[in-house]
Amino acid sequence: MRALLPDLSPWHASADFRLLWVQGLVTYFGSFMALVALPLQIKELTGSPLAVGAMGAVELVPLVVFGLYGGALADSADRRRVILATEAGLGVLAAVLLVNALLPDPLLWPLYVVAGGVSALAGLQRPALDSLLARIVPHDQLPAAAALNAVRWQAGAIAGPSLAGLVVAYAGHATAYTVTVATFALSVVLCLRLSPAPPSKGARGPSLRGIAEGARYAWSRPVLLGTYAIDLAAMFFAFPNTVFPFLADELDADWSLGLMYAAGSVGSLLIGLTSGWTSRLRRHGLLVVCGAAVWGLAIVGAGAFGSVWPVLACLAVAGAGDMLSGLGRSSIWNQTIPEELRGRLAGIEVLSYSVGPQLGQVRAGAMAGWTGTRAAVWSGGVACVASVALLTAALPKLLRYDSATDEDALRRRAARPAG
């Protein structure tokens, strides 16, 4: 049992890691409240799956532009200041949602404007957050830190959507957005206590040249390319969240909407709570591939079943697969990328795990309007499994990755002592 329990070494070793862990849990709880309330409000105002899916299109361009810029910014500015400023901005946007929800007749266009703004600020913030981990946690504890962060994420992802469905149903959208505003206010207070995280010596300001330098490094590393490509393909083809409101209607189970959003996180959390073995794992590329394949197969099942409980079970299995793949990706990124490029590569990472879901929302919404909701779900899972197989064959170095023998991992370990 001890071998299965999460490794708490990063929690004991770093005060900044503890602060970020708690801050992230608070933020995720509020963010997931809004994640459920916002598409549900668009559904109520329009009744259109395409209108809900269009939210992904609105978020895409800001995410790409500000994600890449945020990566360069994280290498040239104090990462603590970037995190603090963007967290405050996200709180302001949550307040806009609250004001709109309190109107006698809430407007549709502010929902899309806020969705785009949130995407832009998240693109700026995530590279600073992700690149900070490798600085505040010893190298040999990075897989354990990734597992603990994933547990935090899933805890918020379970509690937030589950409660949001009830809050929206019985107290309205305004109450859900009020909770979101309060969580961001608390998060800002916690961020103020983080230690400064200045850039590396000789770091240059954000520039297109700097962004291109990071992109060239990523392109020259087949293992990194494999992690980006597999995650992008899996999320593009098999991210059905945007059609959950319509899937719940089709299964005659409106009460299950919050559970659908939370089911994947339940599976992920179970993996996270038994993740002690991942601290001793060396074949993280194999973990990426197998996890993505499990995700796709489970999404096939979620679309094929016509009863809500098997669907929820499949979504939980999908979440477990996604968790395994995410642990593999995070470990490879933190083990192999040099500190001076960490922010810019984190910007590319943001695109790899965020652009896919955004495009996936558009794909799922459009296809649901054409073929029906369940067909849009299971066909995406089939395409996911096929794309993972093709990408694995095209990038075999990912499958062979071993943290004990990979040259980039060995250089990173030498540059960042274990203790």
mmCIF file of all heavy atoms in Angstrom, residues 289-341:
data_model
loop_
_atom_site.group_PDB
_atom_site.id
_atom_site.type_symbol
_atom_site.label_atom_id
_atom_site.label_comp_id
_atom_site.label_asym_id
_atom_site.label_seq_id
_atom_site.Cartn_x
_atom_site.Cartn_y
_atom_site.Cartn_z
ATOM 1 N N VAL A 289 1.724 7.101 -24.460
ATOM 2 C CA VAL A 289 1.037 6.385 -25.536
ATOM 3 C C VAL A 289 -0.114 5.531 -25.004
ATOM 4 O O VAL A 289 -1.251 5.593 -25.499
ATOM 5 C CB VAL A 289 2.043 5.509 -26.306
ATOM 6 C CG1 VAL A 289 1.319 4.605 -27.301
ATOM 7 C CG2 VAL A 289 3.055 6.384 -27.032
ATOM 8 N N CYS A 290 0.150 4.740 -23.969
ATOM 9 C CA CYS A 290 -0.891 3.848 -23.434
ATOM 10 C C CYS A 290 -2.037 4.651 -22.834
ATOM 11 O O CYS A 290 -3.212 4.298 -23.009
ATOM 12 C CB CYS A 290 -0.284 2.919 -22.392
ATOM 13 S SG CYS A 290 0.880 1.717 -23.069
ATOM 14 N N GLY A 291 -1.707 5.723 -22.139
ATOM 15 C CA GLY A 291 -2.758 6.541 -21.543
ATOM 16 C C GLY A 291 -3.666 7.158 -22.589
ATOM 17 O O GLY A 291 -4.898 7.173 -22.432
ATOM 18 N N ALA A 292 -3.092 7.662 -23.682
ATOM 19 C CA ALA A 292 -3.893 8.269 -24.750
ATOM 20 C C ALA A 292 -4.775 7.233 -25.438
ATOM 21 O O ALA A 292 -5.919 7.518 -25.817
ATOM 22 C CB ALA A 292 -2.985 8.949 -25.764
ATOM 23 N N ALA A 293 -4.255 6.004 -25.604
ATOM 24 C CA ALA A 293 -5.051 4.942 -26.228
ATOM 25 C C ALA A 293 -6.240 4.560 -25.341
ATOM 26 O O ALA A 293 -7.357 4.347 -25.828
ATOM 27 C CB ALA A 293 -4.168 3.727 -26.496
ATOM 28 N N VAL A 294 -6.018 4.474 -24.038
ATOM 29 C CA VAL A 294 -7.115 4.173 -23.106
ATOM 30 C C VAL A 294 -8.172 5.268 -23.156
ATOM 31 O O VAL A 294 -9.376 4.990 -23.160
ATOM 32 C CB VAL A 294 -6.567 4.009 -21.672
ATOM 33 C CG1 VAL A 294 -7.704 3.958 -20.660
ATOM 34 C CG2 VAL A 294 -5.722 2.746 -21.573
ATOM 35 N N TRP A 295 -7.725 6.518 -23.213
ATOM 36 C CA TRP A 295 -8.658 7.643 -23.330
ATOM 37 C C TRP A 295 -9.573 7.464 -24.538
ATOM 38 O O TRP A 295 -10.797 7.575 -24.446
ATOM 39 C CB TRP A 295 -7.866 8.939 -23.432
ATOM 40 C CG TRP A 295 -8.615 10.130 -23.952
ATOM 41 C CD1 TRP A 295 -8.719 10.521 -25.262
ATOM 42 C CD2 TRP A 295 -9.373 11.092 -23.200
ATOM 43 N NE1 TRP A 295 -9.483 11.662 -25.367
ATOM 44 C CE2 TRP A 295 -9.891 12.033 -24.125
ATOM 45 C CE3 TRP A 295 -9.647 11.251 -21.848
ATOM 46 C CZ2 TRP A 295 -10.684 13.109 -23.726
ATOM 47 C CZ3 TRP A 295 -10.429 12.325 -21.455
ATOM 48 C CH2 TRP A 295 -10.944 13.238 -22.384
ATOM 49 N N GLY A 296 -8.986 7.196 -25.707
ATOM 50 C CA GLY A 296 -9.770 7.063 -26.929
ATOM 51 C C GLY A 296 -10.749 5.910 -26.874
ATOM 52 O O GLY A 296 -11.920 6.047 -27.267
ATOM 53 N N LEU A 297 -10.295 4.745 -26.386
ATOM 54 C CA LEU A 297 -11.174 3.578 -26.308
ATOM 55 C C LEU A 297 -12.350 3.828 -25.366
ATOM 56 O O LEU A 297 -13.487 3.418 -25.640
ATOM 57 C CB LEU A 297 -10.373 2.363 -25.838
ATOM 58 C CG LEU A 297 -9.368 1.790 -26.849
ATOM 59 C CD1 LEU A 297 -8.486 0.750 -26.175
ATOM 60 C CD2 LEU A 297 -10.096 1.185 -28.050
ATOM 61 N N ALA A 298 -12.083 4.513 -24.261
ATOM 62 C CA ALA A 298 -13.156 4.789 -23.309
ATOM 63 C C ALA A 298 -14.173 5.774 -23.881
ATOM 64 O O ALA A 298 -15.376 5.660 -23.618
ATOM 65 C CB ALA A 298 -12.568 5.321 -22.004
ATOM 66 N N ILE A 299 -13.714 6.744 -24.683
ATOM 67 C CA ILE A 299 -14.642 7.690 -25.308
ATOM 68 C C ILE A 299 -15.519 6.968 -26.333
ATOM 69 O O ILE A 299 -16.694 7.312 -26.514
ATOM 70 C CB ILE A 299 -13.878 8.855 -25.960
ATOM 71 C CG1 ILE A 299 -13.173 9.687 -24.883
ATOM 72 C CG2 ILE A 299 -14.810 9.739 -26.771
ATOM 73 C CD1 ILE A 299 -14.106 10.314 -23.868
ATOM 74 N N VAL A 300 -14.978 5.954 -27.001
ATOM 75 C CA VAL A 300 -15.810 5.125 -27.888
ATOM 76 C C VAL A 300 -16.967 4.531 -27.097
ATOM 77 O O VAL A 300 -18.129 4.568 -27.520
ATOM 78 C CB VAL A 300 -14.967 4.006 -28.540
ATOM 79 C CG1 VAL A 300 -15.877 3.040 -29.302
ATOM 80 C CG2 VAL A 300 -13.927 4.596 -29.482
ATOM 81 N N GLY A 301 -16.652 3.968 -25.919
ATOM 82 C CA GLY A 301 -17.690 3.387 -25.093
ATOM 83 C C GLY A 301 -18.706 4.409 -24.610
ATOM 84 O O GLY A 301 -19.907 4.138 -24.560
ATOM 85 N N ALA A 302 -18.236 5.622 -24.276
ATOM 86 C CA ALA A 302 -19.142 6.661 -23.787
ATOM 87 C C ALA A 302 -20.177 7.051 -24.837
ATOM 88 O O ALA A 302 -21.311 7.406 -24.506
ATOM 89 C CB ALA A 302 -18.338 7.894 -23.360
ATOM 90 N N GLY A 303 -19.792 6.983 -26.110
ATOM 91 C CA GLY A 303 -20.728 7.306 -27.176
ATOM 92 C C GLY A 303 -21.590 6.130 -27.585
ATOM 93 O O GLY A 303 -22.693 6.314 -28.111
ATOM 94 N N ALA A 304 -21.110 4.917 -27.332
ATOM 95 C CA ALA A 304 -21.830 3.731 -27.807
ATOM 96 C C ALA A 304 -22.966 3.325 -26.870
ATOM 97 O O ALA A 304 -24.003 2.825 -27.320
ATOM 98 C CB ALA A 304 -20.856 2.562 -27.970
ATOM 99 N N PHE A 305 -22.787 3.527 -25.567
ATOM 100 C CA PHE A 305 -23.812 3.092 -24.615
ATOM 101 C C PHE A 305 -24.999 4.052 -24.606
ATOM 102 O O PHE A 305 -24.844 5.264 -24.751
ATOM 103 C CB PHE A 305 -23.234 2.996 -23.203
ATOM 104 C CG PHE A 305 -22.344 1.799 -22.991
ATOM 105 C CD1 PHE A 305 -20.972 1.965 -22.825
ATOM 106 C CD2 PHE A 305 -22.880 0.519 -22.954
ATOM 107 C CE1 PHE A 305 -20.145 0.869 -22.635
ATOM 108 C CE2 PHE A 305 -22.059 -0.584 -22.755
ATOM 109 C CZ PHE A 305 -20.687 -0.411 -22.602
ATOM 110 N N GLY A 306 -26.189 3.495 -24.393
ATOM 111 C CA GLY A 306 -27.403 4.303 -24.380
ATOM 112 C C GLY A 306 -27.989 4.501 -23.000
ATOM 113 O O GLY A 306 -29.101 5.002 -22.859
ATOM 114 N N SER A 307 -27.227 4.105 -21.968
ATOM 115 C CA SER A 307 -27.663 4.274 -20.576
ATOM 116 C C SER A 307 -26.645 5.130 -19.839
ATOM 117 O O SER A 307 -25.427 5.020 -20.088
ATOM 118 C CB SER A 307 -27.796 2.903 -19.898
ATOM 119 O OG SER A 307 -28.160 3.055 -18.541
ATOM 120 N N VAL A 308 -27.102 5.958 -18.932
ATOM 121 C CA VAL A 308 -26.229 6.966 -18.358
ATOM 122 C C VAL A 308 -25.127 6.383 -17.480
ATOM 123 O O VAL A 308 -23.987 6.875 -17.489
ATOM 124 C CB VAL A 308 -27.055 8.012 -17.567
ATOM 125 C CG1 VAL A 308 -27.691 7.398 -16.343
ATOM 126 C CG2 VAL A 308 -26.190 9.208 -17.184
ATOM 127 N N TRP A 309 -25.410 5.320 -16.719
ATOM 128 C CA TRP A 309 -24.383 4.813 -15.803
ATOM 129 C C TRP A 309 -23.187 4.198 -16.525
ATOM 130 O O TRP A 309 -22.032 4.461 -16.143
ATOM 131 C CB TRP A 309 -25.005 3.831 -14.812
ATOM 132 C CG TRP A 309 -25.916 4.514 -13.839
ATOM 133 C CD1 TRP A 309 -27.271 4.422 -13.759
ATOM 134 C CD2 TRP A 309 -25.533 5.453 -12.824
ATOM 135 N NE1 TRP A 309 -27.773 5.227 -12.765
ATOM 136 C CE2 TRP A 309 -26.721 5.878 -12.172
ATOM 137 C CE3 TRP A 309 -24.314 5.982 -12.411
ATOM 138 C CZ2 TRP A 309 -26.708 6.789 -11.121
ATOM 139 C CZ3 TRP A 309 -24.297 6.895 -11.363
ATOM 140 C CH2 TRP A 309 -25.479 7.295 -10.728
ATOM 141 N N PRO A 310 -23.376 3.369 -17.579
ATOM 142 C CA PRO A 310 -22.204 2.927 -18.342
ATOM 143 C C PRO A 310 -21.445 4.092 -18.984
ATOM 144 O O PRO A 310 -20.219 4.052 -19.083
ATOM 145 C CB PRO A 310 -22.805 2.000 -19.416
ATOM 146 C CG PRO A 310 -24.083 1.520 -18.831
ATOM 147 C CD PRO A 310 -24.606 2.668 -18.029
ATOM 148 N N VAL A 311 -22.169 5.123 -19.402
ATOM 149 C CA VAL A 311 -21.503 6.297 -19.967
ATOM 150 C C VAL A 311 -20.611 6.957 -18.921
ATOM 151 O O VAL A 311 -19.452 7.300 -19.188
ATOM 152 C CB VAL A 311 -22.548 7.310 -20.503
ATOM 153 C CG1 VAL A 311 -21.879 8.643 -20.843
ATOM 154 C CG2 VAL A 311 -23.250 6.741 -21.727
ATOM 155 N N LEU A 312 -21.132 7.139 -17.716
ATOM 156 C CA LEU A 312 -20.323 7.741 -16.647
ATOM 157 C C LEU A 312 -19.108 6.876 -16.316
ATOM 158 O O LEU A 312 -18.014 7.397 -16.062
ATOM 159 C CB LEU A 312 -21.184 7.941 -15.401
ATOM 160 C CG LEU A 312 -22.295 8.993 -15.509
ATOM 161 C CD1 LEU A 312 -23.177 8.963 -14.260
ATOM 162 C CD2 LEU A 312 -21.707 10.381 -15.702
ATOM 163 N N ALA A 313 -19.280 5.550 -16.339
ATOM 164 C CA ALA A 313 -18.149 4.655 -16.065
ATOM 165 C C ALA A 313 -17.074 4.799 -17.135
ATOM 166 O O ALA A 313 -15.870 4.835 -16.834
ATOM 167 C CB ALA A 313 -18.644 3.212 -15.994
ATOM 168 N N CYS A 314 -17.499 4.889 -18.404
ATOM 169 C CA CYS A 314 -16.532 5.061 -19.497
ATOM 170 C C CYS A 314 -15.797 6.395 -19.373
ATOM 171 O O CYS A 314 -14.585 6.474 -19.622
ATOM 172 C CB CYS A 314 -17.242 4.972 -20.846
ATOM 173 S SG CYS A 314 -17.747 3.306 -21.311
ATOM 174 N N LEU A 315 -16.505 7.433 -18.995
ATOM 175 C CA LEU A 315 -15.853 8.728 -18.827
ATOM 176 C C LEU A 315 -14.832 8.684 -17.688
ATOM 177 O O LEU A 315 -13.784 9.341 -17.755
ATOM 178 C CB LEU A 315 -16.901 9.812 -18.561
ATOM 179 C CG LEU A 315 -17.834 10.138 -19.733
ATOM 180 C CD1 LEU A 315 -18.905 11.141 -19.306
ATOM 181 C CD2 LEU A 315 -17.047 10.697 -20.919
ATOM 182 N N ALA A 316 -15.123 7.919 -16.644
ATOM 183 C CA ALA A 316 -14.158 7.759 -15.556
ATOM 184 C C ALA A 316 -12.904 7.036 -16.035
ATOM 185 O O ALA A 316 -11.774 7.418 -15.697
ATOM 186 C CB ALA A 316 -14.800 7.016 -14.388
ATOM 187 N N VAL A 317 -13.082 5.983 -16.837
ATOM 188 C CA VAL A 317 -11.930 5.259 -17.403
ATOM 189 C C VAL A 317 -11.131 6.184 -18.321
ATOM 190 O O VAL A 317 -9.890 6.167 -18.319
ATOM 191 C CB VAL A 317 -12.401 4.005 -18.156
ATOM 192 C CG1 VAL A 317 -11.232 3.342 -18.877
ATOM 193 C CG2 VAL A 317 -13.045 3.017 -17.192
ATOM 194 N N ALA A 318 -11.830 6.995 -19.101
ATOM 195 C CA ALA A 318 -11.143 7.952 -19.969
ATOM 196 C C ALA A 318 -10.289 8.904 -19.145
ATOM 197 O O ALA A 318 -9.142 9.203 -19.507
ATOM 198 C CB ALA A 318 -12.171 8.736 -20.796
ATOM 199 N N GLY A 319 -10.824 9.373 -18.029
ATOM 200 C CA GLY A 319 -10.051 10.258 -17.165
ATOM 201 C C GLY A 319 -8.804 9.586 -16.614
ATOM 202 O O GLY A 319 -7.749 10.214 -16.487
ATOM 203 N N ALA A 320 -8.911 8.297 -16.280
ATOM 204 C CA ALA A 320 -7.744 7.558 -15.798
ATOM 205 C C ALA A 320 -6.663 7.503 -16.879
ATOM 206 O O ALA A 320 -5.473 7.702 -16.608
ATOM 207 C CB ALA A 320 -8.154 6.153 -15.365
ATOM 208 N N GLY A 321 -7.086 7.235 -18.122
ATOM 209 C CA GLY A 321 -6.122 7.204 -19.221
ATOM 210 C C GLY A 321 -5.477 8.553 -19.450
ATOM 211 O O GLY A 321 -4.265 8.659 -19.673
ATOM 212 N N ASP A 322 -6.276 9.600 -19.381
ATOM 213 C CA ASP A 322 -5.730 10.946 -19.577
ATOM 214 C C ASP A 322 -4.737 11.300 -18.480
ATOM 215 O O ASP A 322 -3.726 11.957 -18.727
ATOM 216 C CB ASP A 322 -6.885 11.944 -19.600
ATOM 217 C CG ASP A 322 -6.432 13.345 -19.963
ATOM 218 O OD1 ASP A 322 -5.643 13.489 -20.919
ATOM 219 O OD2 ASP A 322 -6.846 14.310 -19.289
ATOM 220 N N MET A 323 -5.009 10.874 -17.263
ATOM 221 C CA MET A 323 -4.103 11.124 -16.142
ATOM 222 C C MET A 323 -2.756 10.444 -16.375
ATOM 223 O O MET A 323 -1.690 11.042 -16.174
ATOM 224 C CB MET A 323 -4.736 10.604 -14.858
ATOM 225 C CG MET A 323 -3.844 10.697 -13.632
ATOM 226 S SD MET A 323 -3.556 12.396 -13.139
ATOM 227 C CE MET A 323 -3.005 12.135 -11.446
ATOM 228 N N LEU A 324 -2.779 9.198 -16.804
ATOM 229 C CA LEU A 324 -1.537 8.475 -17.073
ATOM 230 C C LEU A 324 -0.728 9.173 -18.160
ATOM 231 O O LEU A 324 0.490 9.366 -18.032
ATOM 232 C CB LEU A 324 -1.851 7.037 -17.487
ATOM 233 C CG LEU A 324 -2.424 6.127 -16.404
ATOM 234 C CD1 LEU A 324 -2.830 4.784 -17.000
ATOM 235 C CD2 LEU A 324 -1.418 5.933 -15.275
ATOM 236 N N SER A 325 -1.405 9.551 -19.231
ATOM 237 C CA SER A 325 -0.718 10.243 -20.325
ATOM 238 C C SER A 325 -0.152 11.579 -19.846
ATOM 239 O O SER A 325 0.976 11.957 -20.181
ATOM 240 C CB SER A 325 -1.684 10.461 -21.490
ATOM 241 O OG SER A 325 -1.037 11.026 -22.598
ATOM 242 N N GLY A 326 -0.933 12.307 -19.036
ATOM 243 C CA GLY A 326 -0.476 13.602 -18.541
ATOM 244 C C GLY A 326 0.725 13.483 -17.623
ATOM 245 O O GLY A 326 1.646 14.312 -17.683
ATOM 246 N N LEU A 327 0.760 12.460 -16.779
ATOM 247 C CA LEU A 327 1.923 12.255 -15.918
ATOM 248 C C LEU A 327 3.168 11.975 -16.747
ATOM 249 O O LEU A 327 4.255 12.471 -16.436
ATOM 250 C CB LEU A 327 1.664 11.085 -14.964
ATOM 251 C CG LEU A 327 0.684 11.330 -13.816
ATOM 252 C CD1 LEU A 327 0.487 10.051 -13.011
ATOM 253 C CD2 LEU A 327 1.174 12.453 -12.912
ATOM 254 N N GLY A 328 3.004 11.180 -17.805
ATOM 255 C CA GLY A 328 4.148 10.906 -18.674
ATOM 256 C C GLY A 328 4.650 12.156 -19.366
ATOM 257 O O GLY A 328 5.863 12.415 -19.416
ATOM 258 N N ARG A 329 3.732 12.971 -19.897
ATOM 259 C CA ARG A 329 4.137 14.202 -20.588
ATOM 260 C C ARG A 329 4.842 15.162 -19.642
ATOM 261 O O ARG A 329 5.909 15.694 -19.949
ATOM 262 C CB ARG A 329 2.910 14.889 -21.192
ATOM 263 C CG ARG A 329 2.243 14.140 -22.308
ATOM 264 C CD ARG A 329 1.255 15.017 -23.065
ATOM 265 N NE ARG A 329 0.309 15.680 -22.182
ATOM 266 C CZ ARG A 329 -0.862 15.164 -21.793
ATOM 267 N NH1 ARG A 329 -1.209 13.951 -22.220
ATOM 268 N NH2 ARG A 329 -1.685 15.829 -21.008
ATOM 269 N N SER A 330 4.246 15.396 -18.476
ATOM 270 C CA SER A 330 4.820 16.341 -17.530
ATOM 271 C C SER A 330 6.206 15.904 -17.083
ATOM 272 O O SER A 330 7.129 16.737 -16.964
ATOM 273 C CB SER A 330 3.893 16.482 -16.321
ATOM 274 O OG SER A 330 4.415 17.392 -15.377
ATOM 275 N N SER A 331 6.380 14.620 -16.847
ATOM 276 C CA SER A 331 7.692 14.119 -16.417
ATOM 277 C C SER A 331 8.739 14.325 -17.502
ATOM 278 O O SER A 331 9.863 14.768 -17.226
ATOM 279 C CB SER A 331 7.594 12.633 -16.048
ATOM 280 O OG SER A 331 6.741 12.441 -14.938
ATOM 281 N N ILE A 332 8.393 14.015 -18.741
ATOM 282 C CA ILE A 332 9.345 14.202 -19.844
ATOM 283 C C ILE A 332 9.713 15.668 -19.991
ATOM 284 O O ILE A 332 10.898 16.019 -20.133
ATOM 285 C CB ILE A 332 8.758 13.642 -21.156
ATOM 286 C CG1 ILE A 332 8.689 12.117 -21.098
ATOM 287 C CG2 ILE A 332 9.591 14.085 -22.358
ATOM 288 C CD1 ILE A 332 7.961 11.484 -22.262
ATOM 289 N N TRP A 333 8.723 16.552 -19.945
ATOM 290 C CA TRP A 333 9.003 17.973 -20.111
ATOM 291 C C TRP A 333 9.933 18.484 -19.016
ATOM 292 O O TRP A 333 10.928 19.153 -19.300
ATOM 293 C CB TRP A 333 7.693 18.767 -20.090
ATOM 294 C CG TRP A 333 6.785 18.479 -21.239
ATOM 295 C CD1 TRP A 333 7.131 17.914 -22.441
ATOM 296 C CD2 TRP A 333 5.371 18.694 -21.304
ATOM 297 N NE1 TRP A 333 6.027 17.778 -23.244
ATOM 298 C CE2 TRP A 333 4.933 18.252 -22.575
ATOM 299 C CE3 TRP A 333 4.428 19.223 -20.422
ATOM 300 C CZ2 TRP A 333 3.606 18.329 -22.979
ATOM 301 C CZ3 TRP A 333 3.104 19.299 -20.812
ATOM 302 C CH2 TRP A 333 2.699 18.861 -22.079
ATOM 303 N N ASN A 334 9.629 18.179 -17.773
ATOM 304 C CA ASN A 334 10.429 18.712 -16.669
ATOM 305 C C ASN A 334 11.790 18.048 -16.553
ATOM 306 O O ASN A 334 12.727 18.633 -16.016
ATOM 307 C CB ASN A 334 9.658 18.554 -15.352
ATOM 308 C CG ASN A 334 8.536 19.567 -15.213
ATOM 309 O OD1 ASN A 334 8.720 20.741 -15.468
ATOM 310 N ND2 ASN A 334 7.361 19.095 -14.827
ATOM 311 N N GLN A 335 11.916 16.818 -17.054
ATOM 312 C CA GLN A 335 13.179 16.101 -16.959
ATOM 313 C C GLN A 335 14.162 16.473 -18.062
ATOM 314 O O GLN A 335 15.368 16.278 -17.902
ATOM 315 C CB GLN A 335 12.936 14.591 -17.003
ATOM 316 C CG GLN A 335 12.306 14.026 -15.740
ATOM 317 C CD GLN A 335 11.891 12.581 -15.909
ATOM 318 O OE1 GLN A 335 11.842 12.058 -17.031
ATOM 319 N NE2 GLN A 335 11.586 11.917 -14.810
ATOM 320 N N THR A 336 13.679 17.001 -19.183
ATOM 321 C CA THR A 336 14.561 17.146 -20.345
ATOM 322 C C THR A 336 14.799 18.580 -20.805
ATOM 323 O O THR A 336 15.792 18.844 -21.485
ATOM 324 C CB THR A 336 13.997 16.354 -21.540
ATOM 325 O OG1 THR A 336 12.722 16.891 -21.916
ATOM 326 C CG2 THR A 336 13.838 14.876 -21.197
ATOM 327 N N ILE A 337 13.928 19.532 -20.484
ATOM 328 C CA ILE A 337 14.025 20.883 -21.052
ATOM 329 C C ILE A 337 14.942 21.746 -20.196
ATOM 330 O O ILE A 337 14.756 21.827 -18.971
ATOM 331 C CB ILE A 337 12.632 21.521 -21.163
ATOM 332 C CG1 ILE A 337 11.758 20.717 -22.124
ATOM 333 C CG2 ILE A 337 12.730 22.967 -21.636
ATOM 334 C CD1 ILE A 337 10.309 21.145 -22.152
ATOM 335 N N PRO A 338 15.943 22.425 -20.790
ATOM 336 C CA PRO A 338 16.852 23.274 -20.013
ATOM 337 C C PRO A 338 16.149 24.495 -19.437
ATOM 338 O O PRO A 338 15.165 24.984 -20.000
ATOM 339 C CB PRO A 338 17.926 23.679 -21.039
ATOM 340 C CG PRO A 338 17.279 23.497 -22.371
ATOM 341 C CD PRO A 338 16.307 22.375 -22.216
ATOM 342 N N GLU A 339 16.652 24.998 -18.322
ATOM 343 C CA GLU A 339 16.013 26.090 -17.590
ATOM 344 C C GLU A 339 15.835 27.338 -18.439
ATOM 345 O O GLU A 339 14.807 28.006 -18.365
ATOM 346 C CB GLU A 339 16.844 26.420 -16.344
ATOM 347 C CG GLU A 339 16.408 27.656 -15.575
ATOM 348 C CD GLU A 339 14.997 27.563 -15.009
ATOM 349 O OE1 GLU A 339 14.508 26.441 -14.795
ATOM 350 O OE2 GLU A 339 14.386 28.625 -14.791
ATOM 351 N N GLU A 340 16.831 27.672 -19.264
ATOM 352 C CA GLU A 340 16.751 28.916 -20.040
ATOM 353 C C GLU A 340 15.680 28.888 -21.122
ATOM 354 O O GLU A 340 15.298 29.929 -21.666
ATOM 355 C CB GLU A 340 18.110 29.240 -20.670
ATOM 356 C CG GLU A 340 18.611 28.226 -21.691
ATOM 357 C CD GLU A 340 19.401 27.092 -21.077
ATOM 358 O OE1 GLU A 340 19.338 26.936 -19.819
ATOM 359 O OE2 GLU A 340 20.077 26.372 -21.821
ATOM 360 N N LEU A 341 15.169 27.686 -21.451
ATOM 361 C CA LEU A 341 14.101 27.553 -22.444
ATOM 362 C C LEU A 341 12.784 27.091 -21.827
ATOM 363 O O LEU A 341 11.804 26.900 -22.543
ATOM 364 C CB LEU A 341 14.512 26.549 -23.532
ATOM 365 C CG LEU A 341 15.639 26.965 -24.467
ATOM 366 C CD1 LEU A 341 16.039 25.793 -25.347
ATOM 367 C CD2 LEU A 341 15.225 28.147 -25.320
#
